[in-house]
Amino acid sequence: GAVVSQHPSWVICKSGTSVKIECRSLDFQATTMFWYRQFPKQSLMLMATSNEGSKATYEQGVEKDKFLINHASLTLSTLTVTSAHPEDSSFYICSAQQYLASVGETQYFGPGTRLLVL
Amino acid sequence: AQSVAQPEDQVNVAEGNPLTVKCTYSVSGNPYLFWYVQYPNRGLQFLLKYITGDNLVKGSYGFEAEFNKSQTSFHLKKPSALVSDSALYFCAVIGAAGNKLTFGGGTRVLVKP
């Protein structure tokens, strides 16, 4: 149980184009999902918290107009990198939060999406 | 503000030997503590978590971690390491008031045959 998928697993795009990344919780419903960014050999940096049916909450320094987040259902959140530039190249990882009465809340992570902007 | 420190960038251990990955934390209130493992070009896999109760938590793949409140530590341990345990390990914490994970910098584990 608690499987999270991401699509695509990798994408190469030209500078100025937009890229959409999907995050799905496959076997549970998640009212809250998170989007992280990871630079090479570094830890994860939280970009935003995605709440089903409401606006995402962005971390300080993350441009909400640059990184559009939509959480339209309890199993799907999308991150759109708008007008991508080479500095947006990174590894993007989502997580979905599952709540169980026995263990509380736990985040389960997707496999990540590697974005390369040329 | 909450924070997590993993003092070792890398840990080398021979296969079959005990493995310990260190983690200390700082948070207001009672912490929720997590360990995740990341293999190359992959997302994070959940290993174990501490919420309350027994200080020794057992998780996946034979890993366990011990919560020590006085030392604000949550070290990850495995009695006998395998070559396949070679990966990047992250400790993370959530304060009681929120739901955001704060990650440590990660520790790369290399298990040599």
Side-chain angles (χ1 to χ4, degrees), chain B residues 34-93:
Chain B
F34 302 78
W35 276 102
Y36 288 89
V37 59
Q38 184 179 33
Y39 295 96
N41 298 310
R42 301 294 301 275
L44 275 65
Q45 294 181 26
F46 172 74
L47 281 179
L48 51 81
K49 70 184 289 187
Y50 170 84
I51 306 174
T52 186
D54 194 348
N55 289 343
L56 184 64
V57 179
K58 294 187 181 298
S60 305
Y61 312 120
F63 284 95
E64 60 187 28
E66 185 168 11
F67 171 63
N68 187 316
K69 188 173 183 177
S70 63
Q71 296 185 3
T72 62
S73 68
F74 190 57
H75 301 330
L76 181 70
K77 299 180 181 182
K78 185 170 183 177
S80 178
L82 300 173
V83 173
S84 57
D85 293 328
S86 299
L88 186 58
Y89 290 80
F90 289 100
C91 180
V93 68

Side-chain angles (χ1 to χ4, degrees), chain A residues 38-58:
Chain A
Q38 186 179 30
F39 292 98
K41 299 185 179 181
Q42 293 190 28
S43 188
L44 279 72
M45 181 191 78
L46 178 64
M47 299 174 65
T49 302
S50 172
N51 300 297
E52 188 268 336
S54 65
K55 291 183 178 180
T57 304
Y58 291 82

